[in-house]
Amino acid sequence: MSNEDNENQDSNEQAQTEEKEQEEKASKKSKFTFKCTRCDACCLERGPIPITMWDLELWARNGVIANFLPYLEVYTRPNGTVDLLLKPMPSEKKEETEKSPEEALKQTPLEDLLNEKCPLYNKEQEECLVYENRPLSCRTYPLDYDGTHFSIVDVDCPGIGQEGMTKEDLKEMRDTAKQMNFELTRIRIALPVLNQIISRNVMMDLMRQNMEAMSKMSDEDRQKLEDIFKSAQGDQ
């Protein structure tokens, strides 16, 4: 083998070694590590939390669904997607001090609650009131999976980069993120159908109640009601 061939071989080996080192550095740099620091930032400023069928089934099994019901809301996004959300508590305002949490929730647009705290987080005691039954979304935060790729939904989360995550921990977190994606898809398929069924049943129930009320009215009261309807139509 000539000196030129030796030089070319050495050059190729060196290039391969450098390329391998760069790949190892890039792999090490991009490795995802996470350990919750219990800073509570995600509980205080998370905003609306998506709820899945998995969550509803868990709460039903454990008999705690009543704790969540006051804060659940069906929300239709601009793209037509229907989500079930755990709606945050609005910040206290002077004009809302005498209103109940339920009234405040109903009157506050979802868009105004994007940075508000979870309604089931106790700020004074710095603890989640339903930790053992926390939603699936909280269990995988800040890791997200869109069906193809993993991503970080909160790059400022203090837990990112913390040491102590084992391979088993990483696998569990990724599996949970995948499960979240699956369960979110499942409830988005079911919600529109369930919403229609519930709405229809509510309307049927209201009609039945109206018919029962009408049947119990006296002829005089029924005539008064008809006069009111005629008067209202005449004013239009």
Side-chain angles (χ1 to χ4, degrees):
M1 183 179 293
S2 65
N3 291 335
E4 184 177 352
D5 291 336
N6 287 331
E7 290 177 359
N8 289 336
Q9 183 176 356
D10 292 341
S11 177
N12 290 335
E13 290 178 353
Q14 183 177 357
Q16 291 176 358
T17 301
E18 291 176 354
E19 183 178 354
K20 186 176 181 180
E21 289 177 352
Q22 290 177 357
E23 289 178 354
E24 290 177 351
K25 288 181 180 179
S27 176
K28 186 175 181 180
K29 185 177 180 180
S30 62
K31 181 181 178 182
F32 173 76
T33 59
F34 173 80
K35 188 174 182 63
C36 182
T37 62
R38 297 300 178 96
C39 68
D40 303 331
C42 57
C43 303
L44 291 171
E45 302 175 353
R46 176 82 178 275
I49 298 173
I51 301 303
T52 67
M53 297 294 284
W54 185 91
D55 300 318
L56 297 177
E57 291 165 357
L58 174 70
W59 300 340
R61 285 197 307 269
N62 294 343
V64 297
I65 198 165
N67 296 334
F68 297 88
L69 285 179
Y71 311 106
L72 295 180
E73 181 171 309
V74 176
Y75 178 72
T76 303
R77 299 184 181 278
N79 63 0
T81 302
V82 181
D83 280 334
L84 181 63
L85 301 175
L86 185 66
K87 198 172 180 181
M89 290 289 291
S91 299
E92 292 184 4
K93 299 178 182 178
K94 292 182 179 180
E95 62 270 22
E96 294 178 348
T97 53
E98 297 182 359
K99 296 179 182 179
S100 67
E102 290 79 6
E103 291 174 334
L105 284 171
K106 292 178 181 178
Q107 296 177 5
T108 305
L110 187 68
E111 291 74 14
D112 295 342
L113 299 173
L114 297 180
N115 296 312
E116 300 293 349
K117 84 175 190 72
C118 172
L120 297 169
Y121 177 75
N122 189 310
K123 186 176 180 180
E124 287 69 31
Q125 298 181 11
E126 297 184 347
E127 66 175 357
C128 174
L129 301 177
V130 291
Y131 187 78
E132 296 301 324
N133 294 288
R134 66 194 184 283
L136 196 58
S137 176
C138 299
R139 298 169 187 260
T140 187
Y141 192 88
L143 188 64
D144 183 57
Y145 181 71
D146 63 4
T148 306
H149 302 99
F150 290 100
S151 62
I152 306 300
V153 297
D154 182 6
V155 295
D156 296 323
C157 176
I160 297 176
Q162 294 289 329
E163 299 296 331
M165 173 173 264
T166 64
K167 291 182 178 179
E168 291 75 18
D169 293 336
L170 179 59
K171 183 180 184 305
E172 181 180 358
M173 196 169 187
R174 285 181 170 177
D175 289 344
T176 305
K178 288 182 178 180
Q179 184 182 11
M180 175 65 191
N181 176 263
F182 171 78
E183 294 292 344
L184 199 57
T185 301
R186 190 158 72 107
I187 198 168
R188 283 174 174 171
I189 293 173
L191 266 181
V193 179
L194 293 174
N195 205 23
Q196 289 182 16
I197 294 174
I198 293 171
S199 298
R200 184 190 64 183
N201 289 344
V202 169
M203 289 299 298
M204 293 294 291
D205 191 47
L206 288 174
M207 291 176 63
R208 179 182 56 78
Q209 292 179 22
N210 288 336
M211 291 177 65
E212 289 179 355
M214 289 287 290
S215 66
K216 295 177 181 179
M217 292 177 66
S218 64
D219 293 339
E220 182 180 355
D221 289 337
R222 191 177 291 108
Q223 184 60 50
K224 289 180 180 179
L225 186 61
E226 290 179 1
D227 292 340
I228 292 174
F229 285 148
K230 289 179 181 179
S231 176
Q233 291 176 353
D235 293 338
Q236 291 180 352

